[in-house]
Amino acid sequence: MTSSDQQVPPTAGRNSNARTPLIDGPPMAKIVNLTPHPVHVFPSGTPDRIDPGSVTPLRVIAPSSQHQTVRLGQRVIGPDELDFGVPVARVAFGVADGGVPPLPPPVKGTYFLVSLVVGLAAYNRDDVLVCHDTVRDLDGSIIGVRALARPHRP
């Protein structure tokens, strides 16, 4: 098993008809990391801030070598008239096809780990995971998570 083929519990707790359902998968499912960086998943009792290397992650989910990183697009419309002493731009975020990021099609038993902004744009996909409950180093930089989440819009 490669690091991008990490196992997670099945799809327990689904309760929204607004989501794009997957066909029931195997007891364990595969995670494909569509972010540009490895995701370190630490034990639930890991403190909010740690010295890197002081806690061993439960698993590291490497970026997929078979898929492109999925990003939300942006188009700079122009400068904004706000005057804060720093540049402020007007930017349209999203993608051309109705604001849904270009995710791979659903695959039975596979979940796609994406950035939070992509996950929020694709909240109707039942196979999307995002990082949740972050762990930071002593300088405040995010170095991992204690959990993953499935975006949901009430």
Side-chain angles (χ1 to χ4, degrees), residues 28-142:
M28 298 297 273
K30 181 169 91 171
I31 297 174
V32 176
N33 182 355
L34 299 179
T35 73
H37 50 80
V39 173
H40 295 77
V41 182
F42 291 100
S44 62
T46 302
D48 290 347
R49 290 184 181 229
I50 62 172
D51 189 16
S54 65
V55 178
T56 303
L58 297 172
R59 56 183 51 136
V60 176
I61 307 168
S64 175
S65 60
Q66 300 171 350
H67 296 85
Q68 269 191 314
T69 297
V70 176
R71 291 184 167 93
L72 201 61
Q74 63 181 13
R75 181 174 49 88
V76 176
I77 298 169
D80 196 295
E81 56 276 348
L82 293 175
D83 184 10
F84 294 122
V86 297
V88 177
R90 289 202 177 256
V91 179
F93 294 97
V95 291
D97 61 354
V100 178
L103 293 166
V107 175
K108 181 180 176 183
T110 299
Y111 290 82
F112 298 103
L113 179 58
V114 299
S115 68
L116 180 58
V117 69
V118 170
L120 292 174
Y123 71 91
N124 63 328
R125 289 276 301 253
D126 204 28
D127 59 346
V128 170
L129 299 171
V130 297
C131 291
H132 178 63
D133 201 10
T134 57
V135 175
R136 297 175 183 269
D137 67 15
L138 299 178
D139 293 325
S141 297
I142 295 174

